[in-house]
């Protein structure tokens, strides 16, 4: 199995270059995972981007021009997976919306035998976000 390299801001991805897999030489199989803003700076708008290549499973993270990230985002192919852009999650190329709040018990019995003692319940408050396609995800509240 091939180990995933993590490239951090250095060559072979200068900020002006289009996003592409260094192994495959194309952007066709790229799945964007995160886009984060950078401190204000002069010149072209730059962001920090992380993505993987679904063909060879290589992973990358580096600074890139927003124009080059938009070129990958605007491809006609559908999104594969989930993208976090700042505080927003995108699935199917659309922002996910809040569905409802819920509480989940994280208590799980250690065995299936009867337990004589009362164990405290632990609850985790969550926020549910969903996509129009039906994909749902719970985030800590």
């Amino acid at each position: 199995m091939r180990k995933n390299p993590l490239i951090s801001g250095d060559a072979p991805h200068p900020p002006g270059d289009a996003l592409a897999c260094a192994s495959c030489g194309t952007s066709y199989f790229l799945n964007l995972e995160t886009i984060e803003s950078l401190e204000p700076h002069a010149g072209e708008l730059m962001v920090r981007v992380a993505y993987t290549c679904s063909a060879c499973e290589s992973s990358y993270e580096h600074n890139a021009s927003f124009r080059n990230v938009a070129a990958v985002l605007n491809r006609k192919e559908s999104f594969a997976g989930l993208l976090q852009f700042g505080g927003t999650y995108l699935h199917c190329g659309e922002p996910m919306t809040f569905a409802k709040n819920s509480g989940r018990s994280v208590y799980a019995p250690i065995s299936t035998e009867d337990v004589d003692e009362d164990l405290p319940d632990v609850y985790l408050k969550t926020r549910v976000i969903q996509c129009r396609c039906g994909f749902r995800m719970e985030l800590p509240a």
Side-chain angles (χ1 to χ4, degrees), residues 58-71:
S58 296
S59 298
Y60 303 93
E61 181 177 352
H62 58 87
N63 295 347
S65 72
F66 189 76
R67 181 181 320 174
N68 290 336
V69 173

Side-chain angles (χ1 to χ4, degrees), residues 108-128:
I110 297 171
S111 71
T112 56
E113 297 176 16
D114 290 335
V115 178
D116 291 337
E117 62 183 282
D118 289 331
L119 296 176
D121 287 335
V122 177
Y123 289 93
L124 175 66
K125 286 189 175 192
T126 61
R127 297 179 298 164
V128 177

Side-chain angles (χ1 to χ4, degrees), residues 9 26 29 31 40 47 52 60 67 69 76 92 96 112 116 129 132 134 138:
T26 181
F29 301 106
N31 292 318
V47 293
T52 57
Y60 303 93
R67 181 181 320 174
V69 173
K76 295 196 187 302
C92 299
M96 296 178 72
T112 56
D116 291 337
I129 58 175
R132 198 165 43 138
E138 289 186 68

